[in-house]
Amino acid sequence: MEEKGSCKVSVIIPYVDEKIYIDDCLDSLEEQTSKEFEAIVVCDHSSREAMEALRGKQVSFPLTILELTDKTGAAAARNEGIRASSGEFILFLDSDDYLEKTAVQFLLERSEGQDIIYGRNRRTWYGRKVYYDNGEKLDEINEENAISEEEEDQEPEGPVIREGDTEWIKVFCHMVRSNFTITGLSVLGILFRREFLLEHNFYFEEDYTYFTDLPYIVRAMCSTENVCEVRKILYLKRKHNDPIQLPSLSQISDEKVKLQETMRAYLDMKQYVAGQDERAEISIDNKFIRYYVKKIAPFYMNQTSDRDKEEIFEQAGSCLQAITPHSGKHAMWYSKRLLRYSKKHRPEQIAKKVRRHASFQTFSRIIRSKAAFKKYLYRKVFARMKMEEDMVIFESFFGRNYSDSPKYVFEYLSKNYPGKYRCIWILNRKETLPYPAKRIKRFTISYFYYMAKSKYFVFNGRQPKYFIKRDGSVFLETWHGTPLKKLVFDMEDVTSASPLYKRDVYIQSRSWDYLIAPNSFCDETFRRCFMYDGNMLTTGYPRNDILHLNEEETESLVAEIKGELGIPADKKVILYAPTWRDDEFYGSGQYKFTLQLDLKKMQQELGDEYVVVLRMHYFIVDSLDLSEFTGFAFNGSVYNDIARLYLISDILITDYSSVFFDYANLRRPMLFFTYDLDKYRGVLRGFYIDVEEELPGPMLFTTEEIVDAIRDLPALESKYKEKYDVFYERYCGWEDGTSSKKVVEAVFKEIS
């Protein structure tokens, strides 16, 4: 850490305990192309652990660490930073955000004679590494796919900017217009001349909790004409993908206080823009109108406290009077009517108006969309019908097939308690079931009907977000394997799912009455990664019961399965089941595929004794051409039940797929074809286990090595026996072939 000295820019960073973000924040300063800055981190009652980690951070720029003692909040932290600053300019940076590496340079290059240099920002869900690799593209996809109320009833974007307008009005209107509502105004990523701030005694109002930026930036803008804009994204505002454990201020539920602060800030901003170009006032009004329609008026409908309604109503009345006639006149149709209505009516009447409008919007959606209509029937009609006490609905892999633990729960229930339950299977294609059950397709009207009527649910994946957990219903979540890659709340960046995956899973898992753990590792991991405190069934997986049959049953079933696949009875089977690699695509829905295992070499060397069954990801099933290897290589990719493929296999070849946790139940040899280990090392950090230390078999890199290993299996088994025993005890020790029985007796209490 360098000693503090003179510098051009003081970067002020309020900090609490966001340990997972602060490294990205400081690393983005480390990589700045201009080194003319100091950083001042103001710790707001941070934990000792967070403080020690911060002090231990090695940086090449001057870094000052301060602590708030008798105050708290971002405003107080920033004010402390202003007082401690020595730079010619001040730049505010939040500890969960980061800068583009040319940010300081670009801002300084345009700072001559300016008091405020406005730098543009972009919101992202991702950390620096992911963002610069592919996060920008992912953010764009997420924005395109987002469906929200923000797409409806949008107010005019703001006053028209004309040729010859001053830079001031251009910057001001762009600053306001670039945010969806008024609460998006921010000081972040903006360079302020320090003497300008001190001369006007510009400090943040510390009695604000959430929106201290709003009056500050408008007051500062209205105190000078010396402003300019840098038309380049310089500041990355990171949205929190874990609003449950690590919410940002905007994700904290504190509706009344947020409404009060916003209205107070609006009235202050109106005072500051008075006397400026009228378009500045209009732009502020437009954003407040949108905020009133989206947040304030619905508060009367959703809030039960009459006192709270009255307080908000009184404060909102003052704000409505402050809206200019021009802004009210040019608002969208519904907004205009609601503003006029709100000036003359009480909260209860406004709530009725909002409720009628919401009902009209819902009606409009359901007549335009079959999907919306079916969900409406589900919520308003089917979910109000009598729940059927003997009805059980099963789903595996989102209706893709009849498989996994739901299959084995269904078969045990049907075999041992015939006629006691009416079973429903969600299946997107025709399947032959061994016991009576009704088959329905996902997202049909029948699907929504039975989802509403059933008492029992047996799923191996998450239920839809709109699922209604009815009183008395029972949800059994089997999940679908011992995880190798980190799940949900054990993850940092979420790149393969919705950015709010953690929030969604948290909400969905609150409906789970039972969750199955196949081993002690999962018992501990599932409770943490799902934040689950419900009933954990420490029974093992029903889907693995088939791997614990007696010798006679196993021989009979192996013959049956080989017959289904056309595999000669006298041939041993090598199962190749690699993981799906996320980078194996050309574009949306276009997947590329290159088989790294040399089947020709395998056939030449091992074809007399073995055949190979390939279990590939369903994305690339159509790309798998095995016609050249007829009689030696078999496509098991569309075979429903992978456990049956385990059973016929004498050897498993895999890589970073979690299939080996289940296969280990058989105590048969496993080879790990990790040909791209160097490329995959970054991904390994997201694994639960140290694969290079814990795998119960060798990591191999060529087909030749695989052939050699298969030829010398006895020596290989002897070499890995101790490691295999440890692995088996940890991940397979609970499973003995009776998991289905234990699960059914625990969940279906009336049969016990």
Side-chain angles (χ1 to χ4, degrees):
M1 185 187 306
E2 287 188 2
E3 298 235 347
K4 180 175 172 181
S6 61
C7 61
K8 276 279 190 179
V9 180
S10 294
V11 182
I12 297 173
I13 308 170
Y15 178 63
V16 185
D17 271 355
E18 302 95 342
K19 296 186 289 295
I20 69 169
Y21 299 123
I22 190 66
D23 280 345
D24 265 5
C25 178
L26 295 179
D27 288 347
S28 75
L29 294 179
E30 188 70 40
E31 293 184 0
Q32 288 299 302
T33 54
S34 170
K35 305 300 181 183
E36 298 181 275
F37 66 89
E38 65 172 346
I40 303 171
V41 179
V42 185
C43 299
D44 182 2
H45 299 82
S46 302
S47 68
R48 180 180 300 175
E49 179 188 3
M51 292 289 293
E52 288 176 356
L54 184 59
R55 290 193 176 104
K57 180 75 174 176
Q58 295 299 309
V59 296
S60 62
F61 52 84
L63 175 61
T64 301
I65 301 173
L66 305 176
E67 291 187 68
L68 287 181
T69 53
D70 57 342
K71 295 181 179 180
T72 190
R78 287 176 181 163
N79 289 341
E80 192 71 16
I82 292 172
R83 286 187 281 268
S85 63
S86 62
E88 183 180 345
F89 294 93
I90 286 176
L91 178 69
F92 297 107
L93 171 63
D94 279 355
S95 62
D96 48 359
D97 302 336
Y98 50 94
L99 299 177
E100 197 273 335
K101 64 182 178 181
T102 62
V104 172
Q105 176 187 332
F106 263 79
L107 291 169
L108 283 176
E109 286 175 350
R110 290 149 182 80
S111 64
E112 184 67 32
Q114 305 295 343
D115 293 323
I116 299 175
I117 304 92
Y118 177 75
R120 296 188 177 185
N121 63 54
R122 170 177 286 155
R123 294 179 179 272
T124 179
W125 289 103
Y126 306 107
R128 288 172 64 250
K129 185 181 185 307
V130 173
Y131 177 81
Y132 288 120
D133 285 348
N134 56 11
E136 184 173 354
K137 182 186 293 186
L138 290 169
D139 280 323
E140 289 172 359
I141 292 171
N142 290 326
E143 290 302 321
E144 288 173 5
N145 293 338
I147 299 175
S148 72
E149 63 178 8
E150 295 179 1
E151 297 176 355
E152 303 172 5
D153 295 338
Q154 295 205 8
E155 304 304 329
E157 278 303 313
V160 175
I161 299 300
R162 298 181 288 267
E163 187 176 349
D165 278 333
T166 64
E167 182 71 7
W168 186 93
I169 191 62
K170 291 178 183 177
V171 174
F172 190 95
C173 288
H174 179 266
M175 179 183 72
V176 177
R177 186 172 60 244
S178 61
N179 294 284
F180 179 72
T181 69
I182 198 169
T183 55
L185 289 171
S186 170
V187 300
L188 299 173
I190 301 174
L191 201 64
F192 296 91
R193 188 167 63 84
R194 181 169 172 270
E195 286 304 315
F196 163 69
L197 298 182
L198 297 180
E199 176 187 344
H200 290 82
N201 198 34
F202 282 157
Y203 290 94
F204 291 88
E205 296 183 55
E206 296 179 5
D207 54 348
Y208 276 94
T209 301
Y210 300 102
F211 301 122
T212 187
D213 285 26
L214 275 59
Y216 190 94
I217 184 59
V218 172
R219 182 185 173 201
M221 283 289 295
C222 292
S223 300
T224 181
E225 295 181 357
N226 300 322
V227 302
C228 72
E229 180 180 9
V230 178
R231 292 171 174 82
K232 175 180 169 65
I233 302 298
L234 299 176
Y235 190 101
L236 283 305
K237 179 66 185 169
R238 190 170 177 185
K239 297 182 282 188
H240 289 204
N241 63 26
D242 186 356
I244 307 302
Q245 296 184 115
L246 244 159
S248 63
L249 280 177
S250 64
Q251 292 169 330
I252 294 174
S253 298
D254 195 2
E255 190 176 12
K256 179 185 173 184
V257 172
K258 287 183 175 181
L259 295 179
Q260 291 174 322
E261 285 196 1
T262 303
M263 290 189 286
R264 172 189 164 193
Y266 168 69
L267 293 176
D268 285 344
M269 288 188 285
K270 289 282 288 185
Q271 292 180 13
Y272 300 144
V273 297
Q276 305 287 339
D277 188 310
E278 67 175 358
R279 287 173 292 176
E281 188 172 5
I282 291 170
S283 65
I284 293 289
D285 283 344
N286 286 350
K287 292 301 177 183
F288 180 76
I289 289 171
R290 179 176 292 176
Y291 186 81
Y292 180 83
V293 172
K294 297 296 181 185
K295 298 294 183 181
I296 299 174
F299 179 82
Y300 305 137
M301 180 178 67
N302 301 326
Q303 181 56 241
T304 57
S305 167
D306 290 337
R307 180 179 177 181
D308 287 346
K309 288 180 186 177
E310 192 63 32
E311 287 181 17
I312 296 300
F313 177 74
E314 291 297 326
Q315 194 172 352
S318 301
C319 295
L320 295 177
Q321 296 302 320
I323 296 173
T324 60
H326 177 280
S327 299
K329 181 180 179 181
H330 290 86
M332 298 291 286
W333 176 81
Y334 171 66
S335 300
K336 189 188 305 182
R337 294 195 63 183
L338 184 61
L339 291 176
R340 286 203 301 263
Y341 191 84
S342 296
K343 290 178 180 179
K344 300 177 181 178
H345 295 83
R346 304 294 301 168
E348 295 77 11
Q349 296 165 302
I350 299 171
K352 289 180 181 178
K353 188 82 168 178
V354 174
R355 191 174 289 110
R356 282 198 298 270
H357 179 69
S359 298
F360 175 76
Q361 287 185 312
T362 300
F363 177 74
S364 299
R365 279 195 295 270
I366 65 175
I367 62 174
R368 293 195 308 263
S369 165
K370 289 182 179 179
F373 174 68
K374 286 183 279 193
K375 290 177 185 177
Y376 180 82
L377 283 179
Y378 171 64
R379 293 192 309 269
K380 300 296 184 180
V381 180
F382 299 152
R384 296 178 181 180
M385 293 180 174
K386 180 184 177 183
M387 185 170 65
E388 301 295 335
E389 296 289 326
D390 63 345
M391 190 174 287
V392 189
I393 193 164
F394 297 86
E395 182 186 89
S396 181
F397 298 114
F398 308 106
R400 201 160 65 239
N401 50 38
Y402 171 66
S403 64
D404 210 66
S405 289
K407 167 186 173 178
Y408 290 94
V409 171
F410 164 70
E411 292 184 359
Y412 183 88
L413 197 64
S414 300
K415 178 181 179 181
N416 292 279
Y417 304 94
K420 189 170 181 63
Y421 294 96
R422 287 182 288 167
C423 295
I424 316 294
W425 261 97
I426 300 169
L427 290 166
N428 295 332
R429 62 186 183 188
K430 289 185 178 180
E431 300 265 4
T432 300
L433 304 180
Y435 296 98
K438 184 174 182 61
R439 291 177 288 270
I440 58 174
K441 285 188 177 181
R442 210 165 183 239
F443 303 139
T444 60
I445 287 182
S446 292
Y447 166 85
F448 287 101
Y449 174 80
Y450 288 108
M451 284 288 285
K453 294 275 286 179
S454 295
K455 175 177 180 176
Y456 293 97
F457 299 83
V458 182
F459 282 37
N460 79 339
R462 294 183 287 141
Q463 72 276 24
K465 288 186 283 188
Y466 50 78
F467 173 76
I468 297 171
K469 181 70 163 65
R470 299 183 66 176
D471 289 344
S473 66
V474 178
F475 198 105
L476 167 61
E477 176 58 56
T478 71
W479 203 241
H480 46 265
T482 296
L484 177 60
K485 294 180 181 179
K486 291 183 179 178
L487 290 173
V488 202
F489 290 103
D490 287 341
M491 302 166 67
E492 289 191 12
D493 277 324
V494 178
T495 58
S496 58
S498 161
L500 286 174
Y501 167 68
K502 294 184 180 183
R503 179 204 65 185
D504 294 344
V505 174
Y506 179 81
I507 293 171
Q508 289 164 316
S509 61
R510 300 313 94 180
S511 295
W512 301 348
D513 296 290
Y514 299 94
L515 175 61
I516 296 178
N519 46 56
S520 58
F521 165 77
C522 284
D523 185 13
E524 175 187 344
T525 301
F526 285 171
R527 289 191 183 279
R528 184 184 63 250
C529 76
F530 292 123
M531 293 183 66
Y532 182 74
D533 59 1
N535 295 308
M536 187 72 75
L537 300 181
T538 54
T539 57
Y541 272 145
R543 73 182 191 182
N544 289 335
D545 284 351
I546 194 175
L547 307 180
H548 293 272
L549 301 175
N550 62 43
E551 186 174 346
E552 182 180 345
E553 290 173 319
T554 298
E555 287 180 0
S556 173
L557 195 51
V558 166
E560 176 187 319
I561 300 167
K562 282 187 172 182
E564 291 173 355
L565 295 170
I567 296 173
D570 61 338
K571 290 294 181 75
K572 295 179 180 178
V573 176
I574 300 167
L575 175 62
Y576 180 43
T579 190
W580 164 251
R581 284 155 171 77
D582 294 338
D583 60 350
E584 293 182 341
F585 64 91
Y586 294 112
S588 179
Q590 298 176 301
Y591 302 97
K592 60 185 177 183
F593 169 64
T594 304
L595 184 65
Q596 299 296 325
L597 191 67
D598 187 342
L599 290 180
K600 186 172 292 186
K601 178 77 172 176
M602 297 276 286
Q603 185 175 27
Q604 290 171 350
E605 301 291 340
L606 303 170
D608 291 341
E609 186 178 0
Y610 290 93
V611 297
V612 174
V613 175
L614 291 93
R615 176 73 173 195
M616 315 303 289
H617 196 282
Y618 67 91
F619 280 164
I620 50 89
V621 167
D622 294 336
S623 305
L624 193 61
D625 182 6
L626 300 178
S627 57
E628 182 182 351
F629 305 101
T630 300
F632 174 71
F634 298 81
N635 187 357
S637 304
V638 295
Y639 193 81
N640 277 353
D641 192 347
I642 193 173
R644 290 167 69 89
L645 298 183
Y646 297 154
L647 199 64
I648 65 170
S649 303
D650 298 275
I651 303 167
L652 171 69
I653 302 175
T654 185
D655 45 19
Y656 319 104
S657 170
S658 61
V659 296
F660 59 82
F661 289 110
D662 290 335
Y663 190 82
N665 279 275
L666 295 168
R667 290 186 176 271
R668 296 174 187 170
M670 294 190 282
L671 310 178
F672 297 87
F673 187 28
T674 52
Y675 57 86
D676 54 354
L677 180 63
D678 288 339
K679 175 184 173 182
Y680 231 75
R681 284 192 186 278
V683 179
L684 300 185
R685 289 193 292 271
F687 286 180
Y688 280 115
I689 71 172
D690 184 341
V691 294
E692 295 178 273
E693 292 295 325
E694 296 184 56
L695 292 183
M699 298 178 75
L700 307 173
F701 303 94
T702 66
T703 301
E704 289 75 11
E705 290 179 336
I706 289 173
V707 169
D708 290 342
I710 293 174
R711 282 176 168 167
D712 197 14
L713 280 181
L716 193 69
E717 291 180 281
S718 176
K719 179 179 178 181
Y720 282 91
K721 182 182 185 308
E722 185 176 342
K723 186 175 283 191
Y724 208 135
D725 289 344
V726 172
F727 187 90
Y728 182 92
E729 182 60 32
R730 186 177 190 200
Y731 298 108
C732 308
W734 289 0
E735 298 187 320
D736 59 5
T738 63
S739 297
S740 298
K741 178 178 186 295
K742 294 173 185 175
V743 168
V744 166
E745 291 178 353
V747 175
F748 298 86
K749 299 291 180 59
E750 59 268 26
I751 66 177
S752 301

